[in-house]
């Protein structure tokens, strides 16, 4: 027995509320972040990830209050991503109670930010989020490239090379999202997940595409992920985190129960 | 008078330690402080910490906290967390710095080349997530916590000590390593009780009530 594979529910936050409807039987559509975080915590979530999808920077500070409220009551690790542009943003989120901070677009615009943040606060709290998509350029074999701005902008950067570079700069973990699969409920891009996970020594969280519990199992066993992140299967109450863990345990995956 | 002082030397997320303690010990007066005189007067002291060891030791010195932390480790209930465990030893491979030298042993990096399981799976570094903690001694801080309970870890370095009688727990990744030590009034853990759910809160509450047997 050793380290457990992690299950991480992801909460999309905007204007201080969790979006994506939540239809737990007794809760009926509450968007209160603390209440939702507590529910996942009770179900045995290993960590929680909050993604700030706020379009306007005016509302950005609301996430700090959410993190403060959640961190005062929920005693498992919290990761916050979205809108992190400078080391000062990392500090503000950590001070509010985040344990790890996700850096995505800003890492592409300024890779030194990852090094500076890891230097100041330690690699353990710097999660580099990679949005990758398969591209087919003429006469070349298909490959995965890094996209930014929520998957809208191509960068031309090879995702595997980028993952290795982020590890070298000091990332403590990678949150890997397949743009091809995100929202499809067809499962993770297993080839992508495995290629990245095998290429680096730091933990990789697989994200994007989970539609059922087999997908979580595949992400670990075939994708070689260290943790699996999912939103909708938990948000819509189709499965509890506990059910997901039981299912993974039945497939000989070590989980915290 | 302060019941518990959480030593602030500018590293890591002290707020999570404070919040978890407020929850675990609701009647205690708890402060996060970098003031040596407050640490000196507190009944109990916690040294948490995350980040790189050279920065931690430098900040401890720069803030005039080195001496008062040594003093606390000598004479009052003392809890070290993560870097707060590692700094009790002689030296760390991380930046090759001398530490507090209270316990014999050193802090070393997980050997990347040896990080595979018996069935060939690669293990990642940092060691990040929930691992089982095997208690190797009976101790008041383990009260109410079952052997092999999982706690949350996040670290790339671990303690190596030959001082077997101070080892309070071990964990496997992929080999057994020391993840808790206890000696007299000192208890220190590699994992993060403040992030380890109910079992972590229990450990913190045990610490808040602990009356150690001091050596004479």
């Amino acid at each position: 027995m050793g380290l457990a594979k992690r299950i991480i529910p992801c909460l999309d936050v905007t204007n201080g509320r969790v979006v994506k409807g939540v239809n737990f039987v007794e809760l009926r559509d509450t968007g209160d972040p603390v209440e939702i975080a507590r529910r996942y915590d009770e179900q045995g979530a290993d960590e929680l990830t909050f993604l700030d999808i706020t379009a306007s920077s005016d509302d950005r500070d609301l996430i700090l209050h959410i993190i403060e409220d959640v961190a005062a009551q929920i005693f498992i690790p919290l990761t916050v991503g979205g809108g992190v542009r400078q080391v000062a943003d990392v500090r503000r989120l950590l001070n509010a109670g985040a344990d790890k901070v996700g850096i995505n677009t800003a890492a592409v615009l300024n890779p030194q930010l990852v090094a500076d943040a890891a230097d100041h606060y330690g690699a353990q709290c710097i999660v580099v989020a990679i949005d990758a998509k398969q591209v087919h350029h003429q006469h070349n074999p298909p490959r995965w490239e890094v996209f930014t701005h929520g998957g809208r902008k191509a960068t031309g950067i090879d995702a595997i090379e980028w993952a290795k570079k982020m590890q070298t700069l000091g990332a403590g973990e990678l949150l890997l999202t397949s743009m091809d699969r995100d929202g499809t409920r067809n499962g993770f891009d297993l080839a992508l997940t495995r290629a990245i996970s095998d290429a680096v020594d730091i933990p990789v969280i697989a994200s994007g595409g989970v539609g059922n519990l087999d997908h979580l199992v595949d992400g670990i066993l075939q994708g070689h992920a260290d943790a699996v992140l999912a939103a909708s299967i938990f948000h819509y109450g189709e499965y509890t985190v506990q059910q997901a863990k039981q299912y993974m345990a039945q497939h000989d995956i070590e989980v915290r129960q | 008078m302060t019941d518990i002082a959480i030593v602030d030397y500018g590293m890591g997320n002290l707020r999570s330690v404070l919040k978890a303690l407020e929850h675990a010990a609701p009647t205690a007066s708890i402060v996060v402080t970098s003031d040596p005189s407050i640490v000196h007067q507190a009944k109990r002291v916690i040294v948490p910490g995350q980040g790189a060891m050279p920065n931690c030791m430098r900040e401890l010195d720069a803030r005039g906290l080195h001496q008062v932390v040594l003093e606390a480790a000598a004479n009052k209930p003392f809890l070290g967390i993560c870097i707060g465990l590692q700094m009790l030893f002689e030296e760390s491979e991380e930046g090759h710095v001398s530490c507090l030298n209270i316990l014999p042993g050193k802090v070393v990096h997980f050997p990347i080349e040896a990080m595979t399981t018996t069935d060939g799976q690669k293990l990642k570094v940092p060691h990040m997530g929930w691992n089982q903690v095997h208690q190797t001694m009976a101790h008041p801080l383990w009260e109410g916590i079952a052997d092999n309970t999982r706690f949350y870890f996040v670290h790339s370095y671990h303690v190596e000590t030959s001082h077997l009688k101070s080892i309070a727990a071990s964990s496997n990744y992929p080999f057994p390593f020391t993840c808790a030590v206890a000696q007299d009034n000192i208890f220190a853990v590699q994992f993060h009780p403040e992030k380890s759910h109910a079992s972590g809160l229990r450990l913190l509450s045990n610490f808040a009530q602990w009356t150690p047997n001091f050596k004479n």
Side-chain angles (χ1 to χ4, degrees):
Chain A
M1 296 293 271
L3 185 66
K5 299 294 182 182
R6 290 169 279 155
I7 296 190
I8 308 174
C10 178
L11 292 76
D12 288 349
V13 176
T14 189
N15 298 324
R17 302 286 286 177
V18 173
V19 291
K20 278 194 181 169
V22 177
N23 289 304
F24 295 115
V25 181
E26 320 90 285
L27 283 175
R28 279 210 310 278
D29 247 14
T30 174
D32 174 37
V34 175
E35 202 171 334
I36 295 167
R38 183 176 293 126
R39 176 56 60 104
Y40 287 144
D41 172 65
E42 282 164 4
Q43 292 178 1
D46 296 310
E47 295 183 20
L48 295 174
T49 290
F50 293 82
L51 214 49
D52 183 3
I53 56 167
T54 301
S56 149
S57 56
D58 297 344
D59 295 325
R60 189 132 341 251
D61 282 352
L62 285 170
I63 191 94
L64 294 176
H65 299 302
I66 292 179
I67 297 307
E68 280 173 13
D69 288 350
V70 172
Q73 301 180 50
I74 310 286
F75 305 103
I76 57 174
L78 308 176
T79 301
V80 185
V84 174
R85 292 189 183 81
Q86 46 195 347
V87 172
D89 296 329
V90 175
R91 182 172 59 237
R92 290 194 318 151
L93 289 169
L94 293 176
N95 286 345
D99 299 285
K100 302 187 238 181
V101 172
I103 306 178
N104 190 343
T105 299
V108 176
L109 298 177
N110 173 25
Q112 186 59 31
L113 171 65
V114 173
D116 291 345
D119 241 26
H120 274 77
Y121 300 107
Q124 83 290 333
C125 67
I126 305 303
V127 182
V128 171
I130 302 178
D131 291 344
K133 196 163 163 173
Q134 196 167 53
V135 292
H136 301 261
H137 294 299
Q138 258 186 331
H139 312 304
N140 290 316
R143 60 176 202 150
W144 295 281
E145 280 184 10
V146 175
F147 280 65
T148 59
H149 299 85
R152 292 189 301 277
K153 274 195 188 171
T155 64
I157 300 169
D158 179 83
I160 297 171
E161 291 311 312
W162 180 246
K164 290 188 204 164
K165 181 175 176 181
M166 291 300 101
Q167 167 176 303
T168 307
L169 284 181
E173 188 170 43
L174 299 175
L175 168 56
L176 175 65
T177 303
S178 159
M179 300 311 301
D180 300 306
R181 297 302 179 90
D182 202 30
T184 64
R185 304 174 65 86
N186 288 332
F188 297 119
D189 182 337
L190 296 172
L192 167 69
T193 307
R194 186 172 185 141
I196 301 265
S197 190
D198 289 355
V200 296
D201 296 316
I202 54 180
V204 172
I205 306 166
S207 155
V210 174
N212 61 47
L213 300 184
D214 281 311
H215 293 154
L216 299 177
V217 170
D218 293 344
I220 302 286
L221 296 183
Q222 294 178 48
H224 294 178
D226 301 281
V228 285
L229 180 139
S232 59
I233 61 162
F234 300 132
H235 283 312
Y236 298 118
E238 292 161 56
Y239 304 101
T240 63
V241 176
Q242 211 163 11
Q243 284 170 327
K245 288 192 164 181
Q246 280 162 3
Y247 195 77
M248 287 165 80
Q250 283 163 18
H251 289 77
D252 295 327
I253 296 172
E254 199 168 340
V255 291
R256 160 183 165 254
Q257 280 179 315
Chain B
M1 183 162 165
T2 303
D3 291 320
I4 305 174
I6 300 167
V7 180
D8 177 7
Y9 52 104
M11 308 297 294
N13 188 359
L14 304 179
R15 198 173 178 279
S16 353
V17 179
L18 174 67
K19 289 291 158 193
L21 260 177
E22 285 175 351
H23 211 83
T27 57
S29 79
I30 307 160
V31 292
V32 172
T33 182
S34 55
D35 181 341
S37 67
I38 294 178
V39 178
H40 175 76
Q41 286 163 17
K43 292 181 194 155
R44 295 163 196 276
V45 169
I46 298 184
V47 179
Q50 286 184 342
M53 184 63 91
N55 296 347
C56 291
M57 293 309 297
R58 194 179 53 233
E59 288 300 316
L60 212 55
D61 286 338
R63 291 164 192 243
L65 289 162
H66 191 128
Q67 197 51 43
V68 79
V69 166
L70 280 178
E71 192 187 287
N75 67 18
K76 59 181 84 167
F78 180 99
L79 178 63
I81 298 174
C82 195
I83 289 276
L85 158 75
Q86 296 181 0
M87 68 168 56
L88 297 175
F89 290 82
E90 293 163 66
E91 57 176 336
S92 175
E93 236 178 53
E94 188 178 19
H96 302 282
V97 287
S98 298
C99 302
L100 297 176
N101 200 12
I102 294 167
L103 291 168
K106 57 185 180 170
V107 181
V108 298
H109 198 274
F110 279 108
I112 297 286
E113 65 289 350
M115 300 307 287
T116 44
T117 60
T118 42
D119 54 359
Q121 280 180 59
K122 176 160 90 168
L123 295 176
K124 305 299 186 68
V125 177
H127 172 226
M128 189 185 285
W130 299 80
N131 206 335
Q132 289 182 306
V133 169
H134 174 55
Q135 300 167 14
T136 51
M137 70 161 72
H139 194 283
L141 264 70
W142 294 135
E143 185 73 38
I145 299 169
D147 192 19
N148 295 322
T149 294
R150 288 183 188 275
F151 285 85
Y152 187 81
F153 287 82
V154 50
H155 61 123
S156 300
Y157 292 81
H158 68 88
V159 162
E160 258 181 16
T161 178
S162 54
H163 199 248
L164 299 181
K165 66 176 192 169
S166 71
I167 298 175
S170 69
S171 199
N172 277 308
Y173 197 67
F175 48 82
F177 69 91
T178 299
C179 69
V181 297
Q183 179 176 281
D184 307 321
N185 57 306
I186 297 174
F187 196 86
V189 293
Q190 179 61 65
F191 52 82
H192 291 271
E194 75 280 12
K195 286 289 152 186
S196 296
H197 208 248
S199 304
L201 294 176
R202 180 63 198 259
L203 191 144
L204 293 174
S205 130
N206 290 344
F207 173 71
Q209 294 167 36
W210 178 35
T211 311
N213 299 315
F214 290 93
K215 61 185 168 198
N216 295 306

